[in-house]
Amino acid sequence: MLRLQPVTESATLARRIGVVLGTCAVTLYYCLVVIFRALFGRLSRRDIDSYTRRWSSLLLRLVRVRLSVEGQVPDFNDGRRYLLLCNHSSHYDIPATFVALPGSIRMLTKKELFRIPFFGRAMRLAEFPSLDRHNREQALKDLEIAKRMMESGIVLWAAPEGTRSRDGRLLPFKKGCFHLALDTQAVIVPVVINGIHRVLPARTWQFNLGQAVCLRVGEPLDVSGYGVEQLEELMAKTRQRMEALFDQPAGEPATGDTPLAAEQLR
């Protein structure tokens, strides 16, 4: 596994309160911008892409993340459907992905988040698909909506683990993301974010500032050659490619249509 040497600075109580209040303020601001622009019919997908990246950049600055990107970033505008499958070990996984990668990226998220005032409304308007994990019938409907979004050009982000890992390593995968990949004949892009779990360890409020975080993009996996009967094989191959991203030595910076995330955070 790649060992990122962090310059650990555990946030004081005052700093933790500042990070939480700053995060809430930035999030509320962009939620209101989205809601009001939609109200007057002036909200486009391009606007959302810009807002999510600005919001994410500010959140990462609050905790002074030192973000780098490695790997080959696919061309998300080539007409194919893309599904980003990422390890999940922090609330900062999504901001790091938004900052690091191009395209109209949206998160497949649990339905409970849409109950949060302003935030839930803004996510709906911004084309974030929900997933009801407690109702199988509704979950199937939610996945169908997500499928249509992907077909319209949205790059969907999902965590196959379904919950956050405490140590950053991969937990067992759930099948929902892979059914979606098969249904849409998507291209799975494995993504691993090394060191992100130290920024805010799962189920704690202990922020660690100035952490070195590396987002790695793996070799895409075209699902068009797979059938439902090969679901387990697809899951195993995806997991293998994600685990390989933990173990490989540091390589070249990412190439693609987007500037390096480290430059965007300055």
Side-chain angles (χ1 to χ4, degrees):
M1 177 180 176
L2 174 67
R3 298 293 182 183
L4 293 172
Q5 299 301 323
V7 180
T8 301
E9 179 188 341
S10 182
T12 63
L13 177 60
R15 183 59 190 256
R16 274 183 278 170
I17 293 173
V19 170
V20 171
L21 292 178
T23 298
C24 291
V26 168
T27 301
L28 179 60
Y29 170 77
Y30 280 106
C31 286
L32 292 175
V33 169
V34 168
I35 292 170
F36 279 106
R37 291 205 64 173
L39 184 64
F40 292 100
R42 299 180 60 187
L43 183 67
S44 68
R45 184 174 290 180
R46 185 183 294 271
D47 293 328
I48 296 299
D49 296 342
S50 176
Y51 294 150
T52 55
R53 288 188 172 87
R54 293 182 202 171
W55 169 74
S56 298
S57 179
L58 289 171
L59 294 191
L60 295 182
R61 287 181 182 180
L62 283 170
V63 288
R64 303 208 299 268
V65 164
R66 296 181 288 122
L67 180 62
S68 60
V69 186
E70 294 179 1
Q72 181 71 37
V73 179
D75 177 8
F76 294 135
N77 296 314
D78 63 3
R80 296 190 293 176
R81 294 175 286 275
Y82 284 94
L83 178 61
L84 301 174
L85 293 188
C86 182
N87 67 314
H88 190 29
S89 56
S90 173
H91 287 307
Y92 288 92
D93 297 333
I94 298 297
T97 304
F98 282 148
V99 167
L101 300 181
S104 297
I105 300 174
R106 303 292 185 269
M107 171 182 61
L108 181 63
T109 186
K110 57 185 180 181
K111 208 172 189 68
E112 290 79 5
L113 291 181
F114 290 88
R115 299 172 185 164
I116 301 175
F118 299 110
F119 187 65
R121 177 60 177 164
M123 284 201 301
R124 288 289 186 201
L125 293 170
E127 301 181 287
F128 280 73
S130 64
L131 180 60
D132 189 338
R133 294 182 294 183
H134 305 294
N135 184 325
R136 177 173 172 76
E137 183 177 348
Q138 183 59 47
L140 292 174
K141 293 179 182 178
D142 291 338
L143 288 173
E144 183 61 31
I145 293 173
K147 176 182 175 180
R148 291 198 297 269
M149 289 182 175
M150 292 174 68
E151 291 171 344
S152 74
I154 282 178
V155 178
L156 203 60
W157 184 100
E161 300 162 279
T163 189
R164 284 173 294 153
S165 165
R166 287 181 178 272
D167 61 4
R169 301 300 298 192
L170 292 176
L171 299 175
F173 285 177
K174 299 183 183 299
K175 295 181 179 179
C177 299
F178 297 94
H179 280 297
L180 176 61
L182 288 171
D183 287 345
T184 57
Q185 293 293 281
V187 177
I188 291 177
V189 180
V191 175
V192 159
I193 310 178
N194 286 288
I196 197 77
H197 66 285
R198 287 190 294 263
V199 177
L200 178 59
R203 291 169 283 282
T204 76
W205 287 102
Q206 184 56 58
F207 292 95
N208 295 307
L209 310 179
Q211 295 296 303
V213 172
C214 179
L215 184 146
R216 282 180 162 171
V217 182
E219 181 184 357
L221 181 59
D222 193 337
V223 178
S224 60
Y226 290 81
V228 177
E229 67 281 358
Q230 296 170 294
L231 179 67
E232 297 292 339
E233 179 185 345
L234 179 61
M235 293 174 66
K237 185 166 288 189
T238 302
R239 187 180 187 91
Q240 182 181 37
R241 294 193 181 187
M242 292 178 70
E243 288 179 338
L245 294 174
F246 282 107
D247 298 327
Q248 70 185 42
E252 295 297 320
T255 58
D257 297 330
T258 183
L260 289 179
E263 295 176 2
Q264 295 182 36
L265 288 171
R266 289 176 185 170

